[in-house]
Amino acid sequence: MTGYMSGVLAILGINIIFAYSIYITAATGQLNLGGAGFQAIGAYASAILSNEMGFPIGLTLIFASIFGGLISFLIAFPILRTKGVYMVLATFAIAEIVAGVILNSDYLGGPTGIVVNDYIETELILIVAVTVVLFGFYLMSTRIGLAMRAVHDDDAVANLMGVNTRAIQIGAFTLGGAIAGLSGGLYALYFGFVEAQYFNANISIFVLLFVLIGGTQTAWGPLIGASFFTLIPEALRIGDDWRFFIFGIIIVGMMIVRPEGIVTRDALDRVWFKILGKTNV
Amino acid sequence: MFFEQLLQQVINGLMLGSIYISVAVAFTLTIGILNFLNFTIPALYMLAGMVGWSLSHYGLPFGISGPLNWAVALLIGIVCAILGSLLVERFTYRYFKMKHGDATEHAIPLVSSLGFLLIFEYLILIAHGSDTRGFSTPFSNTDLRLFGFIISIPQFLSLIFSILIVAGLSVLLNRTKLGRALRAIAENPEVATLMGIEVNKIVPIVFVMTGFLCGVSASIFAINYHEVSPYMGDHVGTKAIAAMVIGGLGSVWGAIAGGLIVGLSETLSIYFFGASSAQITVWGLLLILLVFKPTGLFGHNAIGKGKF
């Protein structure tokens, strides 16, 4: 594996994990436009844990996700009081506040960032990514996954049918925060450097686009979306500006062709029907 | 002495807020009438400023004539923002409305407008690079000293101008036939169609207003701060979104209040706690407000609550 390839694979793995964190909240019908904030929490937590407390890598990553999950759990209560666009913008506000706190804190390195001493190989990122993807598929196949789908489609009816809507939403938000923290921890350990400016609004927007363009209906969505948008720009090896320009055109075009995302439940059913001769449901 | 400095900061904050007002009104109009969070607005704002700069620096394309007067250049910039806004209307809003009925039930137009944001921003970056460009106007040193306070005349005029535009908009929405049609569409597009309102002809007007407001705001910014850059829309755009949420989605006067509150809290927080604290103050204020009043200060109960 060349250095370039392993670099691309590492970024792909981190993006896929990050996409699943946003997907799990989106699957309950809540758009999280503050992904970068939760990723930053995980990245800084693992930088501090590994540098100052001397935690081994595995423990660092576990605590980075626990920390991300804990903070999202606490944030979930006020955030879930808001709905729709207000909620999207409240999550956006949280990411801005996290970046602001980091920039103003001397302990967290302020604008200069922190150098992380430990480092990990691409293989570990890929193993974690595969685990997260499998977990995503498993979660969506359980009763909880079904409840999440119900809340996504209509929370009032789901509530009437005895689904604890609030618990599902808070749980999804917490789990999303934990996985985002994990992706941040991997980012910090792989690149060996964290700075607040990296975790900006563009990152939050892009990861949300991965998920929405991949499709929020099935667990395939974030995997396909993140791979598509990480690998396509690498394949189109042209100037950075042109790359994002084409990215924009693809997004607009994609919404025209497949507005519910690349992978939808209907499309999957059709594929299964062709392979098995019967529907999968 | 302390109070004088504080009052000067309050004046500066109100002036800064005047820039946010027009953009916040553009956001709040599209969300209030069409239930569409239009993320292209920062790009339209930047487009007007950069086109204005480019024309006053290089002149018209194909060398038709020399560099234009700054005012003419900015006017053409505003027209470009309006045209860009109509392009967005055609390919995001109208298209999805035709295909999916009440398209805004889904996040589709939102995602599509993010696509347009990238297209406009990187088009300008490809054309002009990422440098901040100086924008020269005849108004360089026009500060007015009033009772020992410094008030910049263009900024003061722009504050008056923003409030006048918004007041005009408010009259338009509440007193004219067009305004009634717009409010009917905001209430329920299908019923509005049944009542004989030509929705397809009225909706582009909202986008023309959006482009106009962005263009005017960008021109005011260029005249006041003598600079434009491809990233000028990002900063103003996020602050305008904060202003809109604080004021409440869909409320035009709320956008004014929100714009002034954001401007004030930004300058005061920079004055008391240093430059990088503004982010925490503005967004923290927004978050605390949302916890206690989930619809913003003057927000309508039904607007912006729809699920994605």
Side-chain angles (χ1 to χ4, degrees):
Chain A
M1 195 157 54
T2 61
Y4 169 71
M5 272 299 288
S6 95
V8 171
L9 282 178
I11 294 171
L12 177 65
I14 291 171
N15 279 349
I16 287 175
I17 298 168
F18 195 16
Y20 271 91
S21 85
I22 301 299
Y23 165 72
I24 284 173
T25 37
T28 61
Q30 316 158 59
L31 290 192
N32 185 350
L33 196 54
F38 298 104
Q39 200 183 28
I41 291 171
Y44 272 84
S46 58
I48 299 282
L49 287 174
S50 142
N51 279 1
E52 315 248 321
M53 324 258 171
F55 276 34
I57 287 166
L59 216 53
T60 306
L61 289 175
I62 289 171
F63 272 96
S65 4
I66 290 178
F67 199 61
L70 193 68
I71 289 191
S72 352
F73 178 71
L74 295 177
I75 290 172
F77 289 93
I79 282 276
L80 289 174
R81 273 176 60 87
T82 58
K83 285 204 174 85
V85 178
Y86 284 104
M87 165 159 179
V88 175
L89 297 174
T91 53
F92 186 77
I94 286 178
E96 292 287 322
I97 292 171
V98 169
V101 168
I102 293 170
L103 281 174
N104 281 291
S105 156
D106 288 334
Y107 180 65
L108 296 174
T112 45
I114 307 179
V115 175
V116 185
N117 300 332
D118 259 338
Y119 70 94
I120 51 173
E121 300 288 340
T122 308
E123 282 78 5
L124 179 66
I125 295 179
L126 293 181
I127 291 167
V128 176
V130 170
T131 317
V132 169
V133 172
L134 290 177
F135 173 72
F137 274 94
Y138 168 72
L139 182 71
M140 293 317 283
S141 73
T142 59
R143 277 187 76 83
I144 296 174
L146 194 63
M148 286 163 70
R149 257 174 72 176
V151 174
H152 174 270
D153 290 345
D154 194 323
D155 56 341
V157 174
N159 212 354
L160 278 175
M161 292 296 164
V163 175
N164 190 342
T165 318
R166 205 169 158 71
I168 291 284
Q169 284 177 331
I170 290 176
F173 201 81
T174 308
L175 193 58
I179 297 176
L182 179 64
S183 78
L186 289 170
Y187 172 89
L189 291 173
Y190 182 79
F191 289 98
F193 181 65
V194 284
E195 59 171 349
Q197 289 90 329
Y198 169 78
F199 302 100
N200 55 25
N202 280 350
I203 299 288
S204 305
I205 291 176
F206 281 141
V207 73
L208 189 62
L209 286 177
F210 292 163
V211 174
L212 290 177
I213 287 186
T216 55
Q217 289 185 354
T218 67
W220 286 97
L223 178 64
I224 303 288
S227 315
F228 186 77
F229 280 115
T230 314
L231 297 180
I232 289 278
E234 291 301 329
L236 301 167
R237 272 255 143 237
I238 39 177
D240 246 12
D241 293 344
W242 281 103
R243 210 198 266 199
F244 284 106
F245 175 68
I246 291 173
F247 194 62
I249 288 181
I250 291 178
I251 290 168
V252 174
M254 202 60 124
M255 283 292 108
I256 290 174
V257 186
R258 293 200 67 79
E260 294 286 354
I262 300 176
V263 187
T264 58
R265 236 170 265 147
D266 285 353
L268 271 188
D269 281 350
R270 254 178 281 136
V271 171
W272 283 120
F273 193 77
K274 269 194 185 141
I275 297 172
L276 303 171
K278 61 182 169 71
T279 48
N280 188 38
V281 190
Chain B
M1 197 59 212
F2 173 74
F3 280 105
E4 279 178 11
Q5 278 183 0
L6 193 67
L7 213 59
Q8 179 66 54
Q9 293 304 319
V10 170
I11 291 172
N12 291 351
L14 293 178
M15 298 297 166
L16 184 64
S18 74
I19 302 277
Y20 300 146
I21 288 177
S22 316
V23 183
V25 169
F27 270 113
T28 218
L29 264 186
T30 30
I31 212 158
I33 295 173
L34 306 175
N35 192 19
F36 167 33
L37 181 56
N38 186 354
F39 266 111
T40 348
I41 285 170
L44 294 174
Y45 175 90
M46 181 273 302
L47 196 69
M50 285 306 283
V51 167
W53 167 78
S54 161
L55 289 177
S56 69
H57 191 254
Y58 296 114
L60 287 169
F62 316 117
I64 295 171
S65 70
L68 296 174
N69 181 293
W70 62 272
V72 180
L74 283 179
L75 267 181
I76 298 178
I78 294 176
V79 172
C80 280
I82 293 175
L83 292 179
S85 185
L86 284 174
L87 195 71
V88 173
E89 191 268 342
R90 182 65 190 83
F91 285 101
T92 65
Y93 192 78
R94 195 192 310 178
Y95 184 83
F96 296 116
K97 203 78 178 173
M98 285 190 309
K99 203 168 169 192
H100 305 285
D102 193 10
T104 42
E105 279 291 303
H106 312 273
I108 304 165
L110 174 86
V111 176
S112 194
S113 76
L114 281 170
F116 268 105
L117 175 73
L118 289 177
I119 292 177
F120 285 141
E121 264 194 27
Y122 284 93
L123 209 58
I124 292 291
L125 279 172
I126 290 165
H128 291 303
S130 60
D131 298 341
T132 299
R133 312 290 187 153
F135 192 94
S136 51
T137 56
F139 318 111
S140 51
N141 198 3
T142 46
D143 290 344
L144 179 71
R145 288 196 162 270
L146 198 67
F147 308 117
F149 300 118
I150 302 165
I151 298 174
S152 140
I153 295 178
Q155 282 194 336
F156 184 66
L157 288 179
S158 69
L159 176 64
I160 304 281
F161 192 59
S162 306
I163 292 180
L164 275 183
I165 284 183
V166 176
L169 208 61
S170 188
V171 171
L172 178 91
L173 281 176
N174 291 317
R175 297 260 186 278
T176 64
K177 211 175 165 196
L178 173 66
R180 206 187 306 153
L182 287 172
R183 281 182 293 138
I185 294 172
E187 200 79 31
N188 189 327
E190 276 86 42
V191 178
T193 316
L194 289 177
M195 293 293 142
I197 294 166
E198 288 184 272
V199 176
N200 280 347
K201 286 192 182 153
I202 303 267
V203 166
I205 294 176
V206 180
F207 284 83
V208 170
M209 287 182 195
T210 309
F212 175 73
L213 285 165
C214 293
V216 167
S217 183
S219 308
I220 290 174
F221 182 89
I223 293 170
N224 274 334
Y225 296 98
H226 310 291
E227 61 175 42
V228 291
S229 84
Y231 301 111
M232 66 195 273
D234 295 350
H235 173 77
V236 173
T238 46
K239 290 288 156 57
I241 288 178
M244 167 186 76
V245 177
I246 289 175
L249 303 189
S251 160
V252 171
W253 291 103
I256 295 193
L260 295 180
I261 290 173
V262 169
L264 261 182
S265 52
E266 197 178 341
T267 41
L268 288 182
S269 141
I270 289 173
Y271 178 65
F272 283 114
F273 309 110
S276 50
S277 64
Q279 212 173 350
I280 304 179
T281 316
V282 170
W283 293 100
L285 195 70
L286 182 149
L287 212 56
I288 292 169
L289 180 77
L290 279 190
V291 169
F292 291 106
K293 202 160 184 323
T295 52
L297 287 177
F298 307 104
H300 194 280
N301 252 336
I303 293 173
K305 294 276 197 76
K307 79 189 187 67
F308 279 100

